[in-house]
Amino acid sequence: MSRAFRSGLIVLVALGLGCRGNRPQPDAAATSTHDVDRAAMDTSGAPGDDFFRYANGTWLKKTEIPPDRASVGVWSTLFDLAQKRTYDLFEQLSTTTAAAGSEEQKIGDYYATFMDDEAIEKAGLDPLRADLAAIAALHSTRDLSSWIGKELRADVDPLNMTNFHTDRLFGVWITQDLNEPSRSVPYLLQGGLGLPDRDYYLDTSDRMESLRAAYRAHIVKVLMLAKIDKAGDKAAAIFDLERRIAMTHTTRTDSVDVHKADNPWKIDDFAAKAPGVDWVALLGGARLDRAPVIIVWHPSAITGIAALVPKVPMSVWRDYLTFHEIDRYEGLLPKAFADEGFAFYGKILSGTPQQQDRWKRGVNATNGALPWPVAKIYVQKYFPATAKAQLETMVATIVKAFDKRLDALTWMSPQTKTAAKAKLASLKVGIGYPDAWRDYSRLTIVRGDAIGNDRRAELFDYEYHLAQLSSKPDRSEWWLSPQIVNAVNLPIQNALNFPAAILEPPFYDPMASAAARYGAIGAIIGHEISHSFDDQGSQFDASGRLRNWWTPEDLAHFKGASAKLVAQFNWYMPFPDLHENGQLTLSENIADVAGLSACYDAYHATGGTDDRTFFLSFAQSWRSKEREQVARQQVIGDGHALDEYRADTVRNLDGWYGPFDVKAGQRLYLAPADRVQVW
Ligand SMILES: [Zn+2]
């Protein structure tokens, strides 16, 4: 279940877009307005044939994707704004002297160190020497298990951010227990691949075959750059080990099925259920050995990977760990390494022709390592209390509209309805930034130690999460930092996060008409609320427990409606050889339909009647263009359909047909019985 609003896969991009609507504001002297961008539309075709192009066609024709990015669109405008603001902040902090140990010092020194490419060049591989020597000294299963355990980090998040990928052998996530809301537990996920997904190793198409060849060549180049002998032979063995790991991996579609993931193992169960690894050493190394249970998200992969440990020669494991240790930190190593990392992961895998400027990479790295200290300064500067208050009112209106829709459902039994309403009533909506800030006083950032800083930040984050194992779960915890352009539903916490950086024009513009605001940020808010009731979210009760609160009849109706939506999305063909995966994107698509419906009602509840602006504003909020490689990557492995088809969600709402004169026979026309109304 993909709960983040938009794919994290798309690398967002710069393009300055102004609001060029033509509806004058009643009290504004300014000529610029804040509604639909008429100049972006292409009204030569019928909206009922292609609504996305009707709303965005001229923009699509005129817009080029900048060479250093994989996509461009509304999201990239906001991304650039947040990037520019954090850049200004980092530049300023890196050239001023702040008190040692203060958050300002940490931010400034982290960024300055990243930007000092001369020092990084001079250091070469030295910052990794100690770790590489430790890997070279691994000789027994116990050594190997202990090292793998010590290197685990809280680097995946299968439910909130739907991030399943880690190149470490396993991924760890720590949050409230699926079955016991009073405690937090670790979750263990499959990992160990350099490529994004098992399909990249196992799919027999020519395209995947050539990506595999390029990845093998990348492994050779990295080993050669590190002056490791027999690079060719070693790379072949490393790739083969990854291929065998991939064969044990669960598919992405199965990974999002939380019932398949709900496997609480006691610490003592691991040796019998997944022989091959020294689990005492591994879980001890990871400091997870005192947890009452570990929820094993991918049991067959955990068992399969563990079984590979004694089957694969120790020398291959050492080479594999050596390669990933270097590959993981390529961006913080000398130029030859960073360029090679970009040549493969950026150019070949994502189709981005040009590497980002160093300052942009520095901004990303600093935000990644110190998300919360940066956020604290960011929101003080850029997110006024008036915006928070206004948006909280909008949220309340949409929650109320959703509640009314629940009341009006004719197919749902009173008992299911009561549980749904209870869940909605206790939903915790976070606007802009969290109530409390994380304490970073124990993290040390040293000017001049790029890799050390990064490793300490990763470890600090892991230890923060480890500490949660001994405290009560916190429903107000945030999973997206406020300077990130995205939004997320947290099913176990029954909570939402709307970071400050997404609460900006054109999504949220205090000057825009209600129709434009509800069509854009309103739909995003509705989408996130609806995730609590999508195919996966509806399996969690108000306390975040994984529990069926549905009568069998209600569930059957819900699944029937879902099946129609699966078929609707399977029908879209972004490429002649590739269709959208309706099952993989179901949660997101349900959230889009239900969210748009609820916010349409909410807009009408405020007295609004301008449905054309509402729907056009919605379709323009999906304005984007991406490179073919990255679009394919998203269709294959991401829980979100492509933006174009998300804009076409409108075809499920009766209210869309009249204002745009949509008729039977047009491509997007759905007969009333085929329009999906889940909630
Ligand atoms: Zn979503």
Side-chain angles (χ1 to χ4, degrees):
M1 76 204 72
S2 295
R3 299 227 122 53
F5 188 68
R6 194 164 185 277
S7 167
L9 187 85
I10 303 294
V11 182
L12 292 171
V13 203
L15 192 102
L17 287 172
C19 289
R20 284 157 296 173
N22 50 12
R23 283 164 57 96
Q25 290 300 301
D27 57 348
T31 49
S32 102
T33 57
H34 303 266
D35 278 1
V36 170
D37 180 357
R38 307 274 161 200
M41 295 171 63
D42 176 359
T43 54
S44 62
D49 280 327
D50 191 338
F51 194 56
F52 181 71
R53 271 171 196 76
Y54 182 78
N56 300 302
T58 300
W59 179 87
L60 286 165
K61 271 179 233 154
K62 282 204 216 152
T63 304
E64 297 280 348
I65 302 172
D68 68 341
R69 300 292 178 86
S71 73
V72 64
V74 167
W75 288 78
S76 61
T77 312
L78 294 191
F79 176 88
D80 285 344
L81 180 66
Q83 187 181 54
K84 170 79 170 65
R85 287 170 171 179
T86 44
Y87 166 73
D88 289 344
L89 173 69
F90 299 164
E91 281 287 323
Q92 185 228 323
L93 292 179
S94 67
T95 50
T96 49
T97 308
S102 66
E103 294 184 353
E104 286 79 1
Q105 174 264 316
K106 288 170 193 179
I107 296 168
D109 283 348
Y110 187 97
Y111 178 76
T113 300
F114 186 98
M115 293 306 290
D116 189 354
D117 47 353
E118 272 177 46
I120 286 174
E121 206 62 40
K122 223 169 114 188
L125 272 183
D126 287 351
L128 288 180
R129 292 285 175 217
D131 288 327
L132 296 178
I135 291 169
L138 303 176
H139 287 290
S140 64
T141 297
R142 187 183 170 76
D143 295 345
L144 178 69
S145 303
S146 168
W147 175 262
I148 290 167
K150 278 184 201 148
E151 286 297 298
L152 295 188
R153 294 293 178 266
D155 57 0
V156 290
D157 173 354
L159 267 176
N160 302 325
M161 300 306 300
T162 57
N163 171 19
F164 288 95
H165 184 263
T166 175
D167 65 341
R168 300 172 196 271
L169 202 57
F170 304 111
V172 176
W173 186 50
I174 293 172
T175 196
Q176 183 177 308
D177 188 334
L178 282 176
N179 308 298
E180 180 44 69
S182 66
R183 68 183 184 191
S184 294
V185 293
Y187 294 69
L188 196 68
L189 278 74
Q190 66 193 13
L193 304 181
L195 292 171
D197 187 84
R198 76 194 292 278
D199 284 1
Y200 286 77
Y201 295 84
L202 307 177
D203 181 314
T204 54
S205 67
D206 289 350
R207 209 187 100 74
M208 288 302 192
E209 193 60 64
S210 76
L211 282 178
R212 283 194 283 275
Y215 181 51
R216 284 193 298 265
H218 169 66
I219 302 173
V220 174
K221 281 180 206 155
V222 171
L223 297 179
M224 285 175 70
L225 283 172
K227 302 197 167 51
I228 291 170
D229 64 355
K230 300 192 189 119
D233 293 347
K234 286 178 179 171
I238 291 166
F239 180 82
D240 191 57
L241 171 55
E242 289 194 24
R243 190 186 55 79
R244 293 172 75 181
I245 293 172
M247 287 168 72
T248 76
H249 268 215
T250 302
T251 64
R252 176 67 199 244
T253 305
D254 279 344
S255 290
V256 301
D257 184 339
V258 70
H259 289 287
K260 290 182 177 152
D262 184 18
N263 309 289
W265 291 10
K266 294 207 162 59
I267 302 302
D268 295 340
D269 293 342
F270 278 79
K273 290 189 171 176
V277 160
D278 182 337
W279 286 103
V280 172
L282 193 146
L283 297 174
R287 288 177 273 171
L288 298 174
D289 50 345
R290 296 177 67 184
V293 294
I294 295 179
I295 296 187
V296 177
W297 198 275
H298 296 115
S300 57
I302 302 302
T303 301
I305 294 170
L308 284 174
V309 165
K311 281 187 205 153
V312 172
M314 194 57 63
S315 62
V316 175
W317 282 110
R318 285 193 298 263
D319 293 339
Y320 162 84
L321 292 171
T322 299
F323 163 68
H324 280 294
E325 185 73 15
I326 301 166
D327 196 51
R328 188 176 302 142
Y329 296 106
E330 256 155 17
L332 299 164
L333 286 170
K335 188 172 184 305
F337 288 92
D339 288 355
E340 173 52 31
F342 174 75
F344 178 69
Y345 294 105
K347 220 171 200 167
I348 296 175
L349 205 56
S350 304
T352 309
Q354 191 182 304
Q355 192 176 17
Q356 287 196 331
D357 291 339
R358 188 157 192 95
W359 71 265
K360 290 186 184 174
R361 288 180 271 148
V363 167
N364 292 344
T366 311
N367 271 315
L370 295 157
W372 301 103
V374 174
K376 207 156 125 184
I377 303 174
Y378 185 96
V379 300
Q380 273 164 9
K381 237 176 147 166
Y382 299 113
F383 194 66
T386 48
K388 193 169 161 86
Q390 204 166 30
L391 281 154
E392 279 168 352
T393 306
M394 225 170 141
V395 167
T397 313
I398 297 169
V399 167
K400 202 169 160 194
F402 202 95
D403 190 61
K404 271 194 154 173
R405 290 184 74 86
L406 290 175
D407 282 331
L409 291 177
T410 50
W411 56 268
M412 186 176 265
S413 68
Q415 68 191 97
T416 309
K417 214 175 257 191
T418 304
K421 284 169 72 81
K423 186 171 177 180
L424 185 66
S426 64
L427 183 71
K428 192 171 169 58
V429 181
I431 294 288
Y433 51 90
D435 300 338
W437 297 103
R438 268 183 215 182
D439 176 6
Y440 270 70
S441 55
R442 292 184 57 205
L443 173 63
T444 306
I445 297 294
V446 180
R447 195 173 276 237
D449 184 11
I451 285 182
N453 287 342
D454 210 58
R455 289 181 60 86
R456 280 189 294 275
E458 286 172 344
L459 186 61
F460 171 82
D461 177 67
Y462 186 58
E463 289 177 340
Y464 169 83
H465 288 291
L466 281 178
Q468 292 177 317
L469 291 174
S470 45
S471 59
K472 273 200 156 274
D474 176 11
R475 276 189 63 205
S476 58
E477 184 182 9
W478 274 53
W479 291 82
L480 269 178
S481 57
Q483 67 276 31
I484 300 290
V485 184
N486 214 330
V488 70
N489 179 303
L490 315 167
I492 297 185
Q493 291 170 220
N494 193 22
L496 312 179
N497 295 164
F498 293 99
I502 199 177
L503 304 171
E504 292 282 346
F507 287 138
Y508 168 65
D509 182 347
M511 299 292 285
S513 68
R517 269 189 290 125
Y518 275 89
I521 196 68
I524 295 176
I525 294 168
H527 171 104
E528 293 306 332
I529 293 171
S530 306
H531 267 317
S532 300
F533 304 93
D534 68 15
D535 61 325
Q536 307 271 18
S538 63
Q539 302 176 72
F540 295 86
D541 70 12
S543 71
R545 191 193 300 264
L546 183 64
R547 182 174 75 83
N548 182 19
W549 44 272
W550 294 68
T551 66
E553 299 75 31
D554 292 338
L555 196 60
H557 177 98
F558 181 74
K559 285 192 171 153
S562 301
K564 280 201 291 191
L565 203 56
V566 171
Q568 192 179 111
F569 275 78
N570 281 339
W571 174 79
Y572 292 122
M573 295 284 297
F575 303 102
D577 61 334
L578 190 66
H579 64 78
E580 277 287 355
N581 183 340
Q583 189 60 49
L584 177 63
T585 57
L586 180 61
S587 299
E588 290 303 320
N589 300 332
I590 290 174
D592 279 345
V593 173
L596 187 64
S597 304
C599 105
Y600 178 78
D601 290 357
Y603 168 58
H604 280 249
T606 66
T609 54
D610 185 1
D611 287 358
R612 270 188 73 87
T613 296
F614 174 87
F615 286 115
L616 284 170
S617 171
F618 175 74
Q620 290 195 337
S621 73
W622 288 113
R623 172 192 296 172
S624 79
K625 213 173 172 173
E626 54 237 10
R627 296 187 190 281
E628 178 175 340
Q629 289 93 326
V630 88
R632 283 181 178 273
Q633 207 173 321
Q634 186 175 343
V635 173
I636 292 167
D638 199 277
H640 303 76
L642 294 173
D643 293 353
E644 159 172 6
Y645 307 123
R646 297 185 70 179
D648 290 342
T649 298
V650 295
R651 63 200 295 222
N652 294 294
L653 273 74
D654 296 340
W656 173 67
Y657 285 76
F660 296 98
D661 196 24
V662 181
K663 294 191 180 66
Q666 292 183 328
R667 184 176 151 275
L668 294 177
Y669 176 86
L670 290 170
D674 294 330
R675 295 171 199 165
V676 177
Q677 285 293 319
V678 183
W679 292 99

